[in-house]
Amino acid sequence: MTNAVVIGGGFGGIAAALRLRAKNYHVTLLDRCDGLGGRAQVFEKDGYRHDAGPTVITAPFLFEELFALFGRRLDDYVDLVALDTWYEFYFQDGVRFRYGGTPEDTINEIKKLSPPDAEGYVELLRTSEKIYKVGFQQLAAQPFHKLSEMLRVLPAMVKLRSDRNVYQLVSRHLKHEKLRQAFSIQPLLVGGNPFDTTCIYNLIHFLERAHGVHFAMGGTGALVEALHKLMVEVGIKIELGQTVSQLEVEDNRVSAVRLQTGQRIGCDMVVSNADPAQLYGTMMGASEAKLGARLKTRYARKSMGLFVLFFGTNRQYPEVAHHTIWMGPRYKELLADIFKKKVLAEDFSIYLHRPTATDPSFAPPGHDSFYALVPVPNLEAKINWEREAPRMRDRVVDALGKTIVPGLEHHIRSDFWMTPEDFKHDYLSPAGAGFSIAPIFTQSAWFRFHNKAEGPENLYLVGAGTHPGAGLPGVLSSAKVVDRLVPPVTADVNSEPRARLAAE
């Protein structure tokens, strides 16, 4: 019997656990939260339901692969719905720009705003496709723990001008400032500043185009429940409410994980879905990690923090799209305040999620469910969130109430919020960062935390801080990298769940 322990039940940890089980490992998954999903928790209050984490599903085939490992079909567990409008952008002068559907739909929307940019968008899409074919199809599941792998792909990355940031790439093709903003916000979905993030991340644009934007009926939590059910069916042991405090290392191998309760779980292999800085900084001794891991833990630039306001309304707002990007009055300057100056500005931008646009079950009849996500500095900014959070709540409600959610201050119900302090406490995210380390060029591929640990031989890493990066496609792909690195186990009489599945 070969025992593997997976630390953390986010999507990266779940995917890793399933892939290890498919290779006949006996898998135990541990998570400190009361439910699986990592940041994808589900909150319910007064009849309103809220997905707390990712709400945009852009690569459903990565989930389909996990069910197919065991001869199952994703569609039999959860219903994914393709959205016609992926995002609606709202600008301060009242201009709205709808993005999604077919390329022709997007081109027609562009023509309403800036006809000369229609041709430029076609060129941008072609460029994004080239980046996607290299950056995602070839490299997302490619291990990068060896420098030779980085050197091998360096010519392709140079050819794609990876030294340019996303905003620079978009600006080469689009001239209208509103369109430049709309088509350069993708790095913010994975914790990056469009003015710093390598243009490799522009592959997100073609990823959306190639596979669409989907929503799981019942929410992302329903997708987590489907994966939970699959894991139980295939014999993965799941222990929730368990925090790993230490890895026991002997002869450069992890021999056991120790919980805060003092319980010790022996193992032959560990896959960590914890933040890498948390793993190397507190769960291992300094001498047990290699120099590269220690340097990244100490000096890596972290992503921004998040203020998230959850609320319901006692009326519906059918004119509000499922996903709305509410753009503030400043763009580059605001991002500089968040990422560089680390100050909490008076203005802000908002990602507004209204799941009741697609799934009315998120709220009582005649009501709506929302969350408003505001990028803010992480905890390196030393912001007093106990004081600032109520103020931020009022500012967000006021801004939305004066624009796309009229009268919100009179109709809001059952609101509560999360700040970077909650991300630090609930998810052990260093500095309360929303997406682990930032996706800049010098923190990508080989420069990012390696999927094969820079430490004990039988330790592997998945999740947002590892290659290829944050976001659902990124963390699911990180488990594919580990799958390529880990050998299968010969089936034996102790592998009954897997053997039974093979016989079905």
Side-chain angles (χ1 to χ4, degrees):
M1 180 184 300
T2 304
N3 296 313
V5 172
V6 177
I7 302 171
F11 280 108
I14 290 172
L18 287 166
R19 289 183 176 278
L20 289 174
R21 189 71 194 102
K23 289 189 168 187
N24 288 311
Y25 287 85
H26 284 254
V27 182
T28 299
L29 186 149
L30 307 168
D31 195 274
R32 66 185 268 105
C33 295
D34 295 329
L36 286 174
R39 286 162 168 74
Q41 298 297 305
V42 177
F43 300 144
E44 296 195 34
K45 186 177 181 181
D46 301 330
Y48 300 100
R49 187 165 72 249
H50 309 281
D51 280 324
T55 59
V56 178
I57 300 170
T58 54
F61 68 91
L62 291 172
F63 289 102
E64 291 168 355
E65 289 176 357
L66 298 176
F67 287 84
L69 290 171
F70 305 94
R72 264 76 162 174
R73 295 176 68 251
L74 172 66
D75 292 346
D76 293 331
Y77 290 74
V78 66
D79 182 18
L80 293 187
V81 175
L83 301 182
D84 293 328
T85 297
W86 301 343
Y87 308 97
E88 180 171 71
F89 291 85
Y90 172 85
F91 297 91
Q92 292 300 298
D93 58 4
V95 170
R96 297 178 185 240
F97 172 68
R98 286 195 170 230
Y99 167 52
T102 66
E104 291 72 24
D105 292 333
T106 300
I107 290 171
N108 289 334
E109 286 293 309
I110 289 172
K111 286 179 178 178
K112 294 177 185 177
L113 191 59
S114 176
D117 277 320
E119 185 176 344
Y121 170 74
V122 174
E123 290 300 319
L124 175 63
L125 190 58
R126 289 175 183 154
T127 300
S128 298
E129 181 178 9
K130 293 176 183 177
I131 296 173
Y132 169 84
K133 288 180 176 179
V134 175
F136 188 82
Q137 291 185 333
Q138 296 182 28
L139 304 183
Q142 170 67 40
F144 274 98
H145 60 285
K146 296 179 180 179
L147 181 59
S148 59
E149 291 294 339
M150 183 71 176
L151 296 176
R152 183 180 63 82
V153 303
L154 198 57
M157 298 181 75
V158 170
K159 186 176 181 180
L160 293 173
R161 288 295 311 275
S162 301
D163 57 302
R164 292 183 304 193
N165 63 50
V166 170
Y167 186 83
Q168 288 172 332
L169 172 65
V170 171
S171 296
R172 285 192 64 220
H173 300 285
L174 302 174
K175 305 305 178 186
H176 197 288
E177 180 56 26
K178 287 184 171 66
L179 293 175
R180 287 179 171 182
Q181 293 179 19
F183 286 103
S184 66
I185 60 101
Q186 284 91 349
L188 288 164
L189 304 178
V190 294
N193 181 348
F195 294 89
D196 286 337
T197 300
T198 168
C199 70
I200 288 293
Y201 283 85
N202 191 257
L203 66 83
I204 297 173
H205 178 67
F206 192 79
L207 181 70
E208 294 171 339
R209 180 58 63 198
H211 304 286
V213 170
H214 298 75
F215 181 73
M217 297 302 287
T220 309
L223 188 55
V224 174
E225 289 178 7
L227 291 164
H228 190 172
K229 181 180 179 182
L230 176 64
M231 286 193 290
V232 171
E233 289 175 353
V234 301
I236 294 172
K237 185 178 181 180
I238 301 168
E239 295 191 19
L240 301 174
Q242 300 284 6
T243 300
V244 174
S245 60
Q246 183 183 4
L247 303 186
E248 295 185 7
V249 180
E250 300 175 6
D251 298 325
N252 199 35
R253 295 183 66 83
V254 180
S255 57
V257 299
R258 189 172 293 278
L259 308 181
Q260 280 186 351
T261 60
Q263 180 184 354
R264 181 180 181 276
I265 302 175
C267 57
D268 301 295
M269 175 192 299
V270 173
V271 177
S272 175
N273 189 203
D275 190 285
Q278 174 73 13
L279 171 72
Y280 290 120
T282 65
M283 294 164 62
M284 295 171 55
S287 62
E288 295 163 350
K290 295 180 181 179
L291 178 61
R294 298 200 302 270
L295 289 174
K296 293 170 193 172
T297 298
R298 178 175 246 181
Y299 297 111
R301 286 169 54 182
K302 296 177 176 60
S303 69
M304 79 281 199
L306 301 172
F307 173 84
V308 191
L309 176 66
F310 303 90
F311 61 94
T313 56
N314 65 357
R315 55 155 289 192
Q316 292 183 319
Y317 291 88
E319 65 277 12
V320 178
H322 190 128
H323 302 291
T324 299
I325 310 295
W326 189 95
M327 302 296 292
R330 300 184 304 153
Y331 187 56
K332 182 176 183 179
E333 297 82 3
L334 174 62
L335 293 170
D337 284 345
I338 295 170
F339 286 92
K340 299 181 184 298
K341 298 178 182 178
K342 297 190 184 300
V343 297
L344 188 61
E346 286 299 313
D347 60 320
F348 46 80
S349 291
I350 304 168
Y351 159 60
L352 186 66
H353 183 227
R354 178 178 167 254
T356 34
T358 303
D359 185 349
S361 72
F362 270 73
H367 294 224
D368 267 336
S369 172
F370 289 92
Y371 90 36
L373 182 151
V374 179
V376 296
N378 60 40
L379 294 179
E380 293 171 350
K382 310 300 181 185
I383 295 166
N384 183 340
W385 280 107
E386 185 175 354
R387 181 186 68 231
E388 293 295 338
R391 182 169 171 263
M392 177 65 80
R393 177 265 187 205
D394 291 344
R395 291 161 59 200
V396 169
V397 171
D398 181 66
L400 292 175
K402 290 178 178 177
T403 53
I404 62 174
V405 192
L408 177 58
E409 65 276 15
H410 303 298
H411 297 285
I412 189 169
R413 297 291 185 274
S414 306
D415 60 294
F416 60 99
W417 56 74
M418 292 183 70
T419 75
E421 292 283 4
D422 295 300
F423 280 78
K424 179 181 179 181
H425 176 270
D426 295 350
Y427 310 130
L428 299 182
S429 179
F435 303 87
S436 191
I437 62 174
I440 57 178
F441 179 76
T442 54
Q443 292 181 176
S444 299
W446 180 79
F447 299 111
R448 206 165 179 84
F449 283 102
H450 296 174
N451 303 97
K452 188 177 189 311
E454 297 160 270
E457 283 297 319
N458 61 338
L459 175 62
Y460 299 85
L461 280 69
V462 295
T466 67
H467 170 72
L472 287 180
V475 299
L476 293 173
S477 293
S478 71
K480 293 182 72 171
V481 177
V482 169
D483 195 353
R484 294 181 62 173
L485 294 171
V486 173
V489 175
T490 302
D492 55 36
V493 293
N494 295 315
S495 297
E496 293 178 2
R498 182 59 179 149
R500 183 173 65 250
L501 287 166
E504 290 178 352

